[in-house]
Amino acid sequence: MTTLRIILGDQLTSQISSLDGVDPQGDIILMCEVFAEATYVKHHKKKIAFIFSAMRHFADELRGIGYEVVYYPLDQAKPIVTFTQAVEKTLVAHNVNQIIVTEPGEHRVLCELQSWSDTFNLPVDIRADTRFLCDHAEFETWSAERKSLRMEYFYRDMRKKYSILMDGDQPVGGQWNFDSDNRKPPQPSFEVPDTYQNPPNEITKNVLSLVETQFPSHMGDTTGFHFAVTAAQAKVALAQFIEERLQYFGDFQDAMIQGKPWMYHAHIGLYLNVGLLLPLECISAAEQAYYRKQAPLNAVEGFIRQILGWREFVRGIYWQKMPGYASLNFFHAKQDLPAFYWNAETKMNCLHQSVKETVENAYAHHIQRLMVLGNFALLAGIDPRQVNDWFLSVYADAFEWVEMPNVMGMALFADGGVLASKPYASGGGYIKKMSNYCKDCSYKVTEKNGADACPFNYLYWDFLDRNRDKLGNNHRVGMMYKVYDRMDDNKKRAIHNDSAKFLKNLDALPSDC
């Protein structure tokens, strides 16, 4: 009798729990390129290509060390549509007595896996994903003791648990968080080192051709595909970041420069999220760079906080709050997602640049996502479901467990404060400070109202006004309501009229791009 061990497309590491205790002589490993997973939202072509190529390379690695791997590629005559169909097909050909799989990263997939025991009349062992540093039970225990959940306190406990950047029971440098040092404006003259580039081999080239053929209407193209597709390559990408960009990551992690999409970021989220890199190896690499005096503390701490703090925290929120979390809509937002989120055709240069780079690279860094793309969706009242689908579709690192809390909680405040204590809303001044986008924009960031005014400026105040019943008692927003209340009636009327006109004609706005 045989155990069927299933590896999903974001579980590409030999340390995945579904392989614990594997018998190379008797067990079968199943991997499958599932059509429904590539199409339930229209994933970016580079994202699909990355996952499929990494899967094929990992399957070959497993075969190379003696495992029997059943692999269903998408480019066969009858592609597999669902995970259940892949299992059913495998069971016909093999005498299997149990199924072992590591829990998936999306609630809807977990529901499918949980049905297998009845569907196939077999025991199904759904194991915890031990790649993460805080399991579900630990997060439940931590959160049960608190009235509100805030990442900063979770992060401190994780630092202590794993003894990261610690001096005894105190943080190295005397403080837990150096985020206030990490908001320097951009310097367009900077020579930003290029991101890791991996030329496609034959396996990847075949996948690129497949993706262009099978998914012609999806965002982007596969031209210039350069992602790592093996663990060995991902380690090189991590080392390159530590060597060339980490030292500047802290100071300029929020900065945006037109034509420089990668900046000083690591670009390893996609590798972490599919298993090509593991969290502690990334954390350790950065920590050692600090102790070698290769990078300053504010850069190293900021990088580690994203993995040890934020990444683990949003996963905890996702699994604790699903499935209801997906349908939250605190502001009752219902505006449709504008077409320019797909084609970049807008006069607003910050949005044009952020979407253009997303289309080209299946990547934008966190401030582009939060304070440009997310901020606009928040101020314009875009339907959270449509915003979630878009973010999940277009970024190579986007899986629902990490995407949804960032969008629902951080960008849109659609969860009403579960994840963040206030909406991350701003006018055009923030974008002017942190980028050079405004210089080439058709709108004037210094204008507050009128046809030439930056839409962020009046949309910000209109957002506050129309949501006063929900935000008026939020102590972190109260000061802005005092500012609004001091405006005269003509000013308030202009804000309302400009916003109404802009939102009414959102998809009809002319483009200079």
Side-chain angles (χ1 to χ4, degrees):
M1 300 291 281
T2 299
T3 295
L4 180 64
R5 297 175 182 265
I6 299 168
I7 294 179
L8 306 178
D10 59 350
Q11 300 176 348
L12 309 181
T13 171
S14 59
Q15 296 185 44
I16 199 70
S17 59
S18 56
L19 293 181
D20 289 348
V22 62
D23 176 8
Q25 306 304 316
D27 293 348
I28 296 171
I29 297 171
L30 170 63
M31 299 179 67
C32 180
E33 297 166 12
V34 177
F35 185 78
E37 293 304 300
T39 57
Y40 75 96
V41 294
K42 296 182 73 170
H43 296 288
H44 196 294
K45 290 178 183 176
K46 283 188 170 74
K47 179 181 183 179
I48 299 172
F50 162 63
I51 294 172
F52 283 3
S53 179
M55 288 175 64
R56 293 185 184 192
H57 281 87
F58 186 61
D60 281 353
E61 290 177 16
L62 292 174
R63 292 187 185 105
I65 55 179
Y67 293 115
E68 181 178 355
V69 179
V70 174
Y71 193 100
Y72 299 126
L74 192 65
D75 54 347
Q76 54 185 342
K78 293 183 178 180
I80 299 294
V81 176
T82 67
F83 292 118
T84 301
Q85 184 183 349
V87 174
E88 184 176 31
K89 182 175 181 178
T90 307
L91 294 179
V92 170
H94 299 274
N95 187 19
V96 169
N97 68 323
Q98 69 169 330
I99 298 171
I100 295 176
V101 62
T102 296
E103 64 180 7
E106 302 196 359
H107 184 272
R108 62 179 181 82
V109 179
L110 178 62
C111 291
E112 182 179 355
L113 271 55
Q114 288 173 334
S115 72
W116 286 353
S117 180
D118 291 337
T119 299
F120 302 120
N121 195 30
L122 285 173
V124 178
D125 181 5
I126 303 176
R127 296 179 172 178
D129 192 339
T130 53
R131 291 176 296 172
F132 290 91
L133 305 178
C134 179
D135 63 31
H136 302 321
E138 182 181 1
F139 189 83
E140 285 295 327
T141 299
W142 177 85
S143 62
E145 301 170 355
R146 290 163 171 81
K147 292 181 180 179
S148 61
L149 307 183
R150 296 295 173 253
M151 188 278 292
E152 177 63 27
Y153 301 108
F154 172 81
Y155 166 60
R156 294 179 187 185
D157 287 345
M158 295 295 284
R159 285 266 296 270
K160 295 173 186 176
K161 175 183 176 180
Y162 287 96
S163 191
I164 302 297
L165 291 177
M166 295 296 294
D167 182 7
D169 61 354
Q170 296 299 310
V172 168
Q175 62 190 70
W176 292 100
N177 185 316
F178 288 84
D179 198 40
S180 60
D181 297 335
N182 295 348
R183 299 167 184 167
K184 291 185 173 60
Q187 302 292 330
S189 61
F190 278 177
E191 291 297 325
V192 180
D194 202 0
T195 190
Y196 173 78
Q197 301 281 333
N198 174 55
N201 61 9
E202 285 304 308
I203 292 175
T204 301
K205 288 177 181 177
N206 289 336
V207 170
L208 299 181
S209 177
L210 163 71
V211 169
E212 290 288 1
T213 300
Q214 295 288 334
F215 309 102
S217 65
H218 287 220
M219 177 184 275
D221 58 42
T222 58
T223 303
F225 183 92
H226 62 262
F227 299 147
V229 290
T230 68
Q233 294 165 3
K235 291 178 192 299
V236 174
L238 172 63
Q240 182 176 313
F241 163 68
I242 298 292
E243 179 68 28
E244 298 180 357
R245 299 191 302 281
L246 175 60
Q247 60 185 315
Y248 301 113
F249 168 75
D251 288 353
F252 302 104
Q253 65 176 274
D254 289 1
M256 300 172 284
I257 300 177
Q258 187 167 315
K260 297 183 179 180
W262 307 105
M263 293 299 291
Y264 295 107
H265 288 256
H267 326 136
I268 61 168
L270 70 170
Y271 307 139
L272 271 168
N273 291 349
V274 301
L276 299 185
L277 290 174
L278 297 175
L280 282 178
E281 71 177 311
C282 299
I283 291 167
S284 177
E287 185 180 32
Q288 291 307 308
Y290 168 71
Y291 289 124
R292 292 195 306 267
K293 302 186 184 305
Q294 188 178 351
L297 183 57
N298 70 305
V300 172
E301 185 278 320
F303 173 76
I304 288 174
R305 183 169 8 105
Q306 301 307 310
I307 300 175
L308 184 61
W310 193 251
R311 185 173 186 267
E312 297 288 331
F313 181 70
V314 299
R315 179 177 181 260
I317 293 287
Y318 176 83
W319 283 110
Q320 183 182 76
K321 302 301 182 181
M322 284 296 282
Y325 197 74
S327 60
L328 297 179
N329 189 351
F330 182 67
F331 296 121
H332 304 293
K334 57 184 179 181
Q335 181 89 26
D336 287 334
L337 189 76
F340 65 68
Y341 272 76
W342 298 102
N343 58 30
E345 294 180 0
T346 171
K347 290 172 62 179
M348 299 177 69
N349 191 45
C350 58
L351 285 162
H352 170 70
Q353 295 297 328
S354 297
V355 175
K356 175 176 175 288
E357 291 173 4
T358 297
V359 173
E360 292 172 350
N361 303 315
Y363 173 82
H365 73 65
H366 72 281
I367 294 300
Q368 291 171 303
R369 300 189 201 193
L370 176 63
M371 297 308 299
V372 179
L373 298 160
N375 186 27
F376 182 86
L378 170 68
L379 300 184
I382 309 299
D383 179 357
R385 286 187 178 273
Q386 296 184 38
V387 181
N388 270 299
D389 283 352
W390 185 82
F391 272 92
L392 185 59
S393 300
V394 302
Y395 293 117
D397 55 25
F399 293 85
E400 193 177 80
W401 66 265
V402 66
E403 170 273 323
M404 185 175 288
N406 275 289
V407 170
M408 296 290 281
M410 192 77 165
L412 301 183
F413 204 71
D415 65 4
V418 171
L419 184 142
S421 58
K422 72 174 183 66
Y424 276 78
S426 81
Y430 176 87
I431 296 170
K432 181 179 185 294
K433 175 185 176 183
M434 298 310 303
S435 78
N436 64 347
Y437 292 155
C438 298
K439 178 173 63 71
D440 294 327
C441 189
S442 298
Y443 296 103
K444 294 180 175 63
V445 70
T446 54
E447 296 287 333
K448 306 304 181 185
N449 288 102
D452 293 334
C454 171
F456 274 109
N457 291 337
Y458 49 77
L459 288 174
Y460 171 75
W461 292 111
D462 187 66
F463 163 77
L464 289 179
D465 182 42
R466 68 178 184 265
N467 291 296
R468 188 163 197 155
D469 61 327
K470 294 183 176 296
L471 295 175
N473 293 324
N474 185 308
H475 71 281
R476 297 195 65 192
V477 185
M479 180 59 69
M480 303 315 297
Y481 279 108
K482 293 180 181 179
V483 174
Y484 179 78
D485 289 342
R486 290 197 294 268
M487 297 179 185
D488 62 40
D489 289 343
N490 288 334
K491 174 70 171 177
K492 292 178 181 178
R493 192 176 301 113
I495 288 169
H496 174 76
N497 290 340
D498 286 343
S499 298
K501 181 179 178 180
F502 181 89
L503 296 175
K504 181 180 179 180
N505 298 298
L506 200 50
D507 274 338
L509 290 174
S511 170
D512 292 344
C513 305

